[in-house]
Every structure is written in structure tokens, then in C-alpha cells.
């Protein structure tokens, strides 16, 4: 959809702000995984469909809400994208902690109120709501919050409650500027009015919910198959051959001494006779042993590890 550069703030032109490279903040490397985004996408798409139906029946005009994007930002980055003035609903989502923000362009809100009062909609003046209009807006927002609960019921049972309504995000201190938040952006149409709306979720609030969804309940047959596979894997690893070495303590030699070595030369070692040898696998010491033989073959006898003081000498 091509937008005109003369559109007022909060219109569809806000969609183009997400194009191009996205800066990576090394101070906050935790990001939503692709599975987390997909889970949220299903919940928000369910909310968008039911919210569009609600607006159509409540306002008696063709309305729609569709999900545009889900992204992770810092709170101050999110606030910087909002128009001024705009309508921001401050919401509690018991029993989860934190504050959720539901934002809509003031032009769409005024159009919705005009429809609820029997008007034709269309362009509306930007002004504060009157004492008559404010209860209508609160009632509409509470109905929309009910649809949000419906959208998230497969993830968590929340009880959204509208606390207050703000018009300037700069004066709203719902979160610290550097706090991570998850932003769901929607395309909203109310009659002929088109705008962008958004929902701001605290990252630390929604992440435990998403991680809990990763716990998969297994059936008895699946659990039995997993245990059998684990036993086979353990047995296979236990029977796998590995190279084991028995070594003395290493010594340091000059390069020219190493080059001059000839068969029959004797190299003195620094390994004490009272300290057992090290038994290693891939340079990792896992036991100690004393040299010996078994018949005509060289062998070693595994013994208790020496005290740490002897190992350091």
C-alpha cells in the first residue's frame, strides 16, 4: 500500500519505519526465538480477527484489524515511534506482572466515537475527549481487552483491566527507558479511516509464558520410545573405542636440543618416582596409574589419585 507523504502522524506511513537493517544491541543479547514469535503471531492474529468483528458490530460500520509485525525493542525506542497526541490505554494483565500498553491513533478513536454516537464517521478534529465521550471510549477499550484475553487463552489465562488512558507517551512512565518490550503492530480500519495501532508487552513478562509452551507433554508410547532410544545411545557410546594414553609429567626442552636428539640419547624426566603416571583421554586426565606388565605386554595399574600437593610439585 502506497502512502502519501502528507498523511498525519499515526497513519499508515508508520509502517515504512521498519525497513532496512536493524541495529543489534550487545547489551541486551536476549532475543525472541523464531518459535516464540510464531506463538505470539497465532495469539495476536486470533485477537485481530475477533477485534475486527467486535468493531464492525459495535460501531455498525465495516472495520478490520490485521497483524502487521511483531518485534522486540527497548521501551524508549517504542515511545519514539508514537505520534503525539495518541490514545494509550494502560492495562494490567493479572495474574502476570507488568503493564501492557494498547495504543491507537486519536483520529481512529474519534471516528469510532462518532460512529457510536450515530455519526457518519469521516475526518474528525483532534481535541481532548469530552465527559460524554470518555465513558464510550473506556467501554470500547474494555471490550477490546476482552478479545485480547480470548486471543491469549491458549497461552495463559489473563484478566486485562483498564487502569487509565493517556494521550502523550512522553509523560507515561510505564517502564524504564532501556527495558525490553515486545511490540505487536496492527493495521486498523474503521470505516474509511485507516491507521496503525500497537500493543506493548513487557519482555520479562511474556518470555516465561512462551518458554512454558516449549514443554511438550509426551504420550506413554512416545515416552517409551524416547527411553528406548536413550538406552541404545548409551549402550553405543559405552562400547565405542577411544584412545587412552599413560604419560609422565611433561618437561621443557630447547629447540636445538630437540633437533640434535639421536637414537640412544637419554632425556631426563622431571616425574617424581613417588607420583603415579597420568591416564588421559584427549589430553584430559581422568585417572592415575603405576607402570607394570601383564605377561609380555606393558600395562599399568590404576591407583588412587595422589594428594594435590604432590601433583603441584
Amino acid at each position: 500500500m502506497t502512502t502519501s507523504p502528507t498523511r498525519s502522524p499515526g497513519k499508515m506511513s508508520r509502517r515504512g519505519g521498519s525497513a532496512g537493517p536493524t541495529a543489534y544491541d550487545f547489551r541486551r543479547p536476549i532475543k525472541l526465538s523464531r518459535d516464540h514469535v510464531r506463538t505470539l503471531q497465532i495469539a495476536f492474529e486470533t485477537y485481530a480477527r475477533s477485534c475486527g468483528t467486535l468493531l464492525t458490530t459495535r460501531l455498525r460500520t465495516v472495520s478490520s484489524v490485521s497483524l502487521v509485525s511483531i518485534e522486540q525493542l527497548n521501551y524508549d525506542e517504542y515511545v519514539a515511534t508514537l505520534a503525539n497526541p495518541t490514545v494509550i490505554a494502560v492495562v494490567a494483565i493479572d495474574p502476570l506482572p507488568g503493564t501492557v500498553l494498547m495504543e491507537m491513533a486519536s483520529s481512529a478513536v474519534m471516528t469510532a466515537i462518532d460512529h457510536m454516537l450515530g455519526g457518519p464517521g469521516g475526518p474528525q478534529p483532534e481535541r481532548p475527549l469530552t465527559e460524554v465521550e470518555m465513558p464510550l471510549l473506556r467501554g470500547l477499550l474494555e471490550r477490546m481487552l476482552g478479545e485480547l484475553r480470548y486471543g491469549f487463552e491458549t497461552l495463559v489465562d489473563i484478566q486485562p483491566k483498564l487502569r487509565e488512558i493517556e494521550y502523550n507517551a512522553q509523560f507515561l512512565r510505564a517502564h524504564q527507558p532501556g527495558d525490553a518490550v515486545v511490540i505487536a503492530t496492527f493495521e486498523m480500519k474503521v470505516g474509511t479511516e485507516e491507521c496503525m495501532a500497537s500493543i506493548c508487552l513487557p519482555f520479562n513478562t511474556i518470555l516465561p509464558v512462551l518458554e512454558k509452551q516449549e514443554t511438550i507433554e509426551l504420550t506413554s508410547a512416545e515416552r517409551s520410545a524416547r527411553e528406548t532410544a536413550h538406552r541404545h545411545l548409551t549402550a553405543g557410546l559405552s562400547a565405542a573405542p577411544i584412545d587412552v594414553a599413560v604419560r609422565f609429567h611433561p618437561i621443557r626442552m630447547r629447540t636445538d636440543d630437540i633437533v640434535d636428539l639421536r637414537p640412544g640419547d637419554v632425556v631426563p624426566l622431571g616425574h617424581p618416582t613417588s607420583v603415579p603416571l597420568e591416564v588421559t583421554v584427549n589430553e584430559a586426565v581422568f585417572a592415575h596409574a603405576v607402570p607394570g606388565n601383564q605377561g609380555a605386554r606393558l600395562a599399568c595399574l590404576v591407583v588412587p589419585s595422589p594428594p594435590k600437593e604432590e601433583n603441584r610439585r
Side-chain angles (χ1 to χ4, degrees), residues 71-201:
E71 56 184 339
Q72 181 181 332
L73 300 173
N74 287 344
Y75 179 66
D76 53 350
E77 295 173 337
Y78 168 64
V79 170
T81 66
L82 301 181
N84 184 20
T86 189
V87 175
I88 304 174
V90 182
V91 181
I93 50 171
D94 296 335
L96 298 181
T99 300
V100 173
L101 303 181
M102 178 183 291
E103 177 267 338
M104 293 186 295
S106 57
S107 57
V109 171
M110 295 298 293
T111 300
I113 291 177
D114 187 67
H115 281 294
M116 284 189 284
L117 293 174
Q124 301 294 321
E126 289 193 1
R127 57 171 176 78
L129 298 180
T130 65
E131 294 182 358
V132 175
E133 294 167 338
M134 183 59 74
L136 293 175
L137 174 59
R138 293 187 68 91
L140 179 62
L141 290 175
E142 288 171 353
R143 294 286 298 274
M144 294 174 67
L145 291 176
E147 302 304 326
L148 184 64
R149 176 188 179 185
Y150 169 69
F152 274 76
E153 66 178 1
T154 58
L155 300 180
V156 59
D157 184 16
I158 57 176
Q159 303 290 334
K161 294 181 181 179
L162 179 61
R163 288 180 177 174
E164 57 181 314
I165 298 175
E166 272 288 349
Y167 300 100
N168 191 335
Q170 301 294 335
F171 299 149
L172 186 61
R173 291 292 177 262
H175 306 283
Q176 295 299 318
D179 287 351
V181 292
V182 178
I183 308 300
T185 305
F186 301 88
E187 180 182 31
M188 178 180 291
K189 296 181 181 180
V190 179
T192 58
E193 180 68 23
E194 301 178 3
C195 73
M196 303 297 286
S198 63
I199 294 179
C200 172
L201 295 173

Side-chain angles (χ1 to χ4, degrees), residues 7-309:
R7 282 189 181 271
S8 59
K11 300 289 185 176
M12 299 299 293
S13 58
R14 285 173 48 191
R15 169 187 273 180
S18 60
T22 302
Y24 182 83
D25 188 354
F26 287 92
R27 296 170 301 176
R28 293 182 176 274
I30 300 177
K31 294 288 184 180
L32 289 176
S33 68
R34 185 173 300 178
D35 291 338
H36 292 165
V37 174
R38 179 55 183 163
T39 301
L40 285 175
Q41 181 180 352
I42 295 173
F44 280 123
E45 286 179 344
T46 302
Y47 160 75
R49 287 192 297 269
S50 59
C51 190
T53 303
L54 167 67
L55 293 176
T56 299
T57 56
R58 185 75 175 84
L59 306 180
R60 296 182 296 278
T61 185
V62 177
S63 304
S64 65
V65 180
S66 57
L67 179 66
V68 175
S69 66
I70 297 175
E71 56 184 339
Q72 181 181 332
L73 300 173
N74 287 344
Y75 179 66
D76 53 350
E77 295 173 337
Y78 168 64
V79 170
T81 66
L82 301 181
N84 184 20
T86 189
V87 175
I88 304 174
V90 182
V91 181
I93 50 171
D94 296 335
L96 298 181
T99 300
V100 173
L101 303 181
M102 178 183 291
E103 177 267 338
M104 293 186 295
S106 57
S107 57
V109 171
M110 295 298 293
T111 300
I113 291 177
D114 187 67
H115 281 294
M116 284 189 284
L117 293 174
Q124 301 294 321
E126 289 193 1
R127 57 171 176 78
L129 298 180
T130 65
E131 294 182 358
V132 175
E133 294 167 338
M134 183 59 74
L136 293 175
L137 174 59
R138 293 187 68 91
L140 179 62
L141 290 175
E142 288 171 353
R143 294 286 298 274
M144 294 174 67
L145 291 176
E147 302 304 326
L148 184 64
R149 176 188 179 185
Y150 169 69
F152 274 76
E153 66 178 1
T154 58
L155 300 180
V156 59
D157 184 16
I158 57 176
Q159 303 290 334
K161 294 181 181 179
L162 179 61
R163 288 180 177 174
E164 57 181 314
I165 298 175
E166 272 288 349
Y167 300 100
N168 191 335
Q170 301 294 335
F171 299 149
L172 186 61
R173 291 292 177 262
H175 306 283
Q176 295 299 318
D179 287 351
V181 292
V182 178
I183 308 300
T185 305
F186 301 88
E187 180 182 31
M188 178 180 291
K189 296 181 181 180
V190 179
T192 58
E193 180 68 23
E194 301 178 3
C195 73
M196 303 297 286
S198 63
I199 294 179
C200 172
L201 295 173
F203 181 83
N204 291 334
T205 295
I206 196 62
L207 182 61
V209 175
L210 297 174
E211 290 178 338
K212 186 178 180 181
Q213 297 300 312
E214 296 178 350
T215 303
I216 303 175
E217 295 293 335
L218 301 178
T219 64
S220 299
E222 291 173 334
R223 190 178 298 107
S224 176
R226 177 169 295 188
E227 292 174 352
T228 301
H230 182 268
R231 288 195 301 270
H232 290 167
L233 178 61
T234 303
L237 290 175
S238 300
I242 57 176
D243 293 328
V244 178
V246 179
R247 71 183 184 187
F248 295 88
H249 288 176
I251 62 171
R252 297 177 64 88
M253 295 181 62
R254 292 168 46 185
T255 305
D256 54 354
D257 291 337
I258 297 176
V259 173
D260 292 337
L261 284 177
R262 296 292 183 269
D265 291 346
V266 177
V267 178
L269 301 179
H271 195 109
T273 57
S274 60
V275 177
L277 308 179
E278 296 175 340
V279 184
T280 66
V281 171
N282 195 25
E283 300 300 323
V285 178
F286 70 92
H288 291 81
V290 294
N293 65 292
Q294 185 177 26
R297 307 180 65 179
L298 293 176
C300 64
L301 175 67
V302 176
V303 296
S305 300
K308 293 183 179 180
E309 290 76 10

